[in-house]
Amino acid sequence: MNVIESETPAADRIRIGECTITLSSREVVVDGARRPRRLTPKALGVLKVLMRVPGAVVTRDDLFAEVWPDTLPTNDVLTQAITQLRKAFSRDDEAGTAYIETIAKTGYRLLQPVSVLAEPLPDVDSAPGEDERDALAAVFAAPTLAPAPRPRSRWRRTRRYVFLAIGLAMAVALLVLTALLLQRPAGAPTPNGVLEDGSRVVGSPQRPYRLITATAGFETYPTVSPDGSQVAYEADDASGGGSAIKVQTSGNAPARLLTDTPAGHSDRFPNWSPNGRDIAFARFGPEASCEVLIASATGGAIRHVTRCDGTELLSFDWTPDGRGLVFGSLSGRHAHRGIRVLDIASGAWTPVDYAVADDSFDYAPRFSPDGRWIVFVRNPQIGDLWRLPATGGEPEQLTSDSAEIRGWAWRGDSRHIVFGRRVDSEARLYELDTETRTLRDVGLDDAQSPALSRHNNMLAFVHRKAQFGLFRVPVKDGRPGIPERLFPSNGRDGQPMLAPDGQQLVFTSDRSGNYGLWWADLSRPESLRPVEGLRPETRQSADWSPDSRHLLVSGRDAQAQPVIYEVSPRDEQIVALPVPVAQPLQALYAGDNDHILVVERDHDERMRLSLFDRRVTPWKLLGSVDGVSQARLDPAHQRVLFTRLSAGGLWSANLQLDPASVQQVSEDRPSRWRYRTWAVARDGSLDYLSSRADCSTVFARINAPSNGEEVCLDANRLSAGNGFSAQPDGSAVYLALAVADGADIGVMTLPEPPRPVFSAAPNLLFWKGK
């Protein structure tokens, strides 16, 4: 045997103390044990590192770096690997031999000597001679005393060298193969949870990520340190006392507070500086007070940066050099249209030089890591990504999907963007190549708000898997009663829309396994069934005709283009309407079946509410109002109510959309972010849903004699934000409430993006994974 002291053994069979380890099969045979033991790939990886330096201490950090590279493992995984090794090295009748010693607060060391075992001799000849066997043995074993020479024929001498050459070649090949096996990373479980040969089930497939938080509350808005070793996030106080910023390390140590949050305040929107030393965040306080602060990432003094408006649309990030912060559009007392950069040292503001429309709100700007670009979300109510040069210039549109963007982040290559998007009943992560404008699904369910480290593609995101149910809530004198559950299921229900007859209800749901539209007659609960043949849009709720016979439903066709469908739910007839606009997003009946109101986005990316007479072909345009994000009909007052892109609040116009009739109805409700959480009953009641720190769902009847007093509808359950409806006489509202909810922070190493592969055919581009 050859004793190994400082290098990894270049062989397949290793001797450690009284144990024999076969590396290729991960088997450990202990002298005196009844059967071999099999190691996991990670346990074997730990053993390989310890074998390099028998008797020397290997730190935990070194083991993490070698065996779990580019991940954020907890101490538990290393402890489990050491425990498995100790069990594998012990005899069946012993508690365990001291093969591996734990060095407190440092790491581990291997106590037994390590040596390489000679491999069995290859079968070179059916009956090799004694000298051939001696020659091959010399390749694998230490030199031995040669026997006295004896006379041999020329052929015997020649044959000896032939076999010696063959043996040397085989030995070199074996050593190369063994080295490759030792360097090969441990294989991940196969996607279908079975062995590679398909012979046995080994367990359910492992997720590509792990959750670093595990509480019953909400952890949101993650930000990652540049080296990917730490994550800061916003954590809600379970007692309803606001939120605080917490920092979680890559190990299993408990999270720590970044700073003490004063009573009655909430710390939100953390952003890690490019050098990893500081974290910027916003502090919201009583009476809508707001300020942006900077704290050391390790804790300590807090610096004031600037005042801000206490709205939910505040957005900011660091400049690449870490000397400033870039802000999106601001509203309220500190309103400013467009993107600006704040120099932290001087407090000076510098607007980015580019064109901003009067009704545009540019949100969540972020510099690319190389400092060349600024990407932002223009008008979150529409939801598309735009890009402009960091020095200013003409903005260009990167996406045109009118999607509900749920956070986004740059990759370190300054080319790819990862963003969250609402799809059907869930949010998913997608990756955009800003050069080719191609998209790919990252493959994570219920994921949003991504954040990426600058140097190693460590991804953090919010994992939220909420379940929403339908509820009827009685309302008396403007005050909500106790919610009553409708049509219970284990799916996600939303957007309940009650017909003018007060009997029929439609809603969206994935309760059947597929997302779709459902219909029921409330007087006959057994009538509940899906409406087959269309895929509704999650952002816009359906609208009933005045006679309760038809529905206008926003959806997508097979090419993902927006379509307005007219649906007869009782007889299940579906017709795609020839709406004469570029991109119809919402449609309403304008008091009768012949006139249709359409919220559209035109070819210049401008939003507009238009009135059409559909009795002629093509439909005749009768009137329009620009800058509209959502609309509802108020039949009791013969008017149209709508929200705008440019500000929070509510406006009205007459049924002809006469510009002279436009007037503001409410100054601050709905907010710009909650522009869909309001409903109009046929009697003119105007209801609004919001939330606050001490109540998850707050109800207000805006036009009630109580002047819109806010009442806590449900202290613990959040309402869905994409639409609800009211009883025709205003005596009840129908809404979706979360029956199971919570959000955690997930982390994983984001795989490299696929490489584009060009074929000989012109204009043909496809993607190939690494």
Side-chain angles (χ1 to χ4, degrees):
M1 294 187 293
N2 298 326
V3 177
I4 304 297
E5 295 181 354
S6 61
E7 297 183 355
T8 302
D12 192 43
R13 297 175 68 244
I14 308 299
R15 186 73 172 176
I16 301 178
E18 299 179 350
C19 302
T20 301
I21 298 93
T22 304
L23 300 178
S24 59
S25 63
R26 306 197 307 275
E27 285 187 341
V28 178
V29 176
V30 182
D31 293 347
R34 290 190 293 269
R35 62 180 65 89
R37 291 81 180 268
R38 189 180 298 275
L39 300 174
T40 64
K42 293 301 184 184
L44 182 62
V46 170
L47 179 60
K48 289 178 182 178
V49 179
L50 296 176
M51 285 194 306
R52 295 177 189 167
V53 284
V57 177
V58 181
T59 67
R60 285 177 171 267
D61 289 341
D62 288 341
L63 289 169
F64 282 138
E66 293 263 359
V67 185
W68 290 271
D70 301 325
T71 62
L72 293 175
T74 64
N75 287 330
D76 290 342
V77 296
L78 177 55
T79 302
Q80 292 171 5
I82 295 294
T83 300
Q84 190 195 37
L85 288 172
R86 286 173 172 156
K87 289 182 178 180
F89 291 148
S90 65
R91 287 196 178 96
D92 294 331
D93 58 350
E94 293 180 351
T97 306
Y99 274 68
I100 299 175
E101 180 184 8
T102 300
I103 308 301
K105 300 182 180 180
T106 304
Y108 303 93
R109 67 174 175 176
L110 187 61
L111 300 177
Q112 301 293 331
V114 179
S115 56
V116 176
L117 292 179
E119 301 294 333
L121 295 177
D123 187 11
V124 179
D125 197 299
S126 57
E130 180 180 350
D131 50 348
E132 287 89 342
R133 289 195 299 270
D134 292 341
L136 292 177
V139 177
F140 297 101
T144 58
L145 187 62
R150 59 188 177 190
R152 294 179 175 86
S153 67
R154 178 179 298 179
W155 162 241
R156 287 178 61 86
R157 290 194 302 269
T158 303
R159 189 176 64 173
R160 175 178 181 178
Y161 294 117
V162 170
F163 282 123
L164 179 60
I166 295 174
L168 285 171
M170 293 180 64
V172 171
L174 180 60
L175 291 173
V176 171
L177 179 60
T178 302
L180 292 175
L181 287 173
L182 287 171
Q183 295 174 7
R184 185 181 63 181
T190 52
N192 58 359
V194 300
L195 293 179
E196 292 185 2
D197 60 5
S199 61
R200 292 191 305 279
V201 174
V202 295
S204 59
Q206 292 188 8
R207 293 173 177 172
Y209 63 89
R210 69 182 183 89
L211 300 178
I212 62 171
T213 61
T215 68
F218 287 82
E219 285 82 30
T220 53
Y221 296 104
T223 180
V224 187
S225 61
D227 63 0
S229 64
Q230 299 183 82
V231 180
Y233 53 87
E234 176 185 326
D236 282 352
D237 187 340
S239 63
S243 58
I245 306 300
K246 291 185 177 181
V247 179
Q248 175 74 56
T249 64
S250 59
N252 62 353
R256 60 178 175 84
L257 287 173
L258 176 66
T259 183
D260 292 329
T261 305
H265 291 70
S266 291
D267 290 346
R268 306 192 63 192
F269 310 137
N271 275 283
W272 219 299
S273 65
N275 62 11
R277 298 173 184 171
D278 300 303
I279 295 176
F281 63 97
R283 175 165 289 172
F284 297 85
E287 300 180 359
S289 66
C290 173
E291 59 180 331
V292 177
L293 306 172
I294 294 177
S296 170
T298 58
I302 297 177
R303 290 177 286 162
H304 170 82
V305 178
T306 185
R307 297 285 179 183
C308 49
D309 186 58
T311 73
E312 53 203 337
L313 276 174
L314 175 66
S315 61
F316 57 91
D317 194 21
W318 292 84
T319 56
D321 60 8
R323 298 177 179 177
L325 297 174
V326 57
F327 283 77
S329 299
L330 294 176
S331 59
R333 291 168 295 176
H334 305 276
H336 182 272
R337 189 175 66 253
I339 299 171
R340 292 183 297 170
V341 175
L342 173 65
D343 181 76
I344 296 173
S346 66
W349 290 91
T350 303
V352 177
D353 184 16
Y354 73 109
V356 188
D358 291 340
D359 60 353
S360 288
F361 190 89
D362 294 342
Y363 178 69
R366 286 172 178 40
F367 279 94
S368 58
D370 62 9
R372 293 181 56 207
W373 302 100
I374 297 175
V375 167
F376 58 93
V377 178
R378 171 157 286 178
N379 296 322
Q381 304 99 316
I382 305 174
D384 278 312
L385 292 165
W386 290 66
R387 180 177 73 172
L388 76 155
T391 55
E394 185 68 24
E396 57 178 327
Q397 193 169 351
L398 296 177
T399 64
S400 57
D401 205 21
S402 298
E404 187 173 336
I405 302 293
R406 299 285 186 92
W408 73 273
W410 282 100
R411 265 194 191 263
D413 62 6
S414 297
R415 169 173 171 168
H416 294 86
I417 286 171
V418 178
F419 66 94
R421 183 197 190 281
R422 177 75 177 266
V423 182
D424 295 339
S425 59
E426 67 170 339
R428 299 183 65 84
L429 294 186
Y430 293 84
E431 185 166 22
L432 169 69
D433 186 325
T434 59
E435 293 187 12
T436 63
R437 307 296 170 86
T438 54
L439 283 171
R440 74 177 183 94
D441 192 319
V442 176
L444 298 178
D445 300 335
D446 302 298
Q448 56 188 296
S449 301
L452 279 161
S453 62
R454 289 177 175 261
H455 303 311
N456 57 3
N457 288 324
M458 181 58 64
L459 169 69
F461 60 93
V462 173
H463 180 267
R464 184 188 181 194
K465 194 170 185 177
Q467 178 190 343
F468 283 84
L470 300 183
F471 290 83
R472 179 185 184 275
V473 182
V475 180
K476 184 176 182 180
D477 299 328
R479 302 184 70 86
I482 299 175
E484 307 162 358
R485 183 77 183 268
L486 301 173
F487 309 118
S489 79
N490 291 323
R492 297 174 179 176
D493 303 331
Q495 300 173 306
M497 294 293 124
L498 187 69
D501 61 13
Q503 293 297 314
Q504 299 177 81
L505 185 75
V506 294
F507 61 93
T508 55
S509 179
D510 62 358
R511 57 175 54 209
S512 67
N514 294 313
Y515 182 77
L517 187 71
W518 288 70
W519 170 89
D521 186 331
L522 293 176
S523 64
R524 298 184 299 110
E526 70 279 3
S527 64
L528 178 66
R529 57 175 169 77
V531 179
E532 305 287 354
L534 82 161
R535 188 169 189 166
E537 173 61 53
T538 59
R539 304 191 71 191
Q540 306 293 347
S541 52
D543 185 68
W544 283 96
S545 62
D547 59 8
S548 301
R549 296 178 58 188
H550 306 287
L551 287 164
L552 293 176
V553 181
S554 301
R556 300 267 176 171
D557 62 16
Q559 287 73 42
Q561 295 298 319
V563 179
I564 302 298
Y565 296 99
E566 188 165 39
V567 180
S568 302
R570 286 191 180 274
D571 55 18
E572 300 186 69
Q573 291 185 358
I574 300 173
V575 177
L577 298 182
V579 183
V581 299
Q583 198 172 23
L585 302 180
Q586 184 194 12
L588 308 165
Y589 291 100
D592 57 40
N593 288 9
D594 295 328
H595 295 85
I596 304 294
L597 290 161
V598 178
V599 176
E600 61 162 312
R601 186 166 76 164
D602 64 18
H603 292 292
D604 295 323
E605 309 304 328
R606 302 295 298 274
M607 295 286 287
R608 182 180 296 110
L609 173 64
S610 299
L611 174 66
F612 292 96
D613 182 346
R614 66 168 178 168
R615 291 173 295 183
V616 297
T617 302
W619 294 6
K620 183 179 180 181
L621 177 65
L622 302 179
S624 63
V625 176
D626 289 338
V628 173
S629 59
Q630 189 83 174
R632 304 272 192 274
L633 186 71
D634 181 4
H637 299 94
Q638 289 294 291
R639 63 180 180 172
V640 181
L641 298 174
F642 58 90
T643 55
R644 288 189 179 275
L645 290 173
S646 56
L650 196 63
W651 282 260
S652 70
N654 62 17
L655 294 183
Q656 293 74 41
L657 299 186
D658 183 356
S661 69
V662 175
Q663 58 182 336
Q664 192 165 12
V665 175
S666 170
E667 292 185 0
D668 57 349
R669 295 182 290 187
S671 70
R672 194 196 308 256
W673 199 250
R674 302 185 67 88
Y675 70 103
R676 293 171 296 176
T677 59
W678 56 286
V680 185
R682 295 192 69 80
D683 71 345
S685 301
L686 181 56
D687 299 331
Y688 175 58
L689 299 178
S690 60
S691 64
R692 62 187 184 217
D694 63 338
C695 181
S696 294
T697 299
V698 177
F699 175 88
R701 182 152 283 177
I702 297 176
N703 57 351
S706 60
N707 196 28
E709 176 189 2
E710 291 188 345
V711 182
C712 186
L713 185 150
D714 197 298
N716 302 313
R717 295 180 292 198
L718 288 168
S719 61
N722 55 353
F724 70 104
S725 61
Q727 195 81 23
D729 60 1
S731 62
V733 292
Y734 293 78
L735 71 160
L737 291 174
V739 295
D741 206 355
D744 288 303
I745 305 299
V747 294
M748 62 177 283
T749 300
L750 186 66
E752 289 297 323
R755 305 186 305 272
V757 179
F758 296 88
S759 74
N763 302 321
L764 181 59
L765 171 68
F766 61 94
W767 293 95
K768 180 179 181 181
K770 294 191 73 175

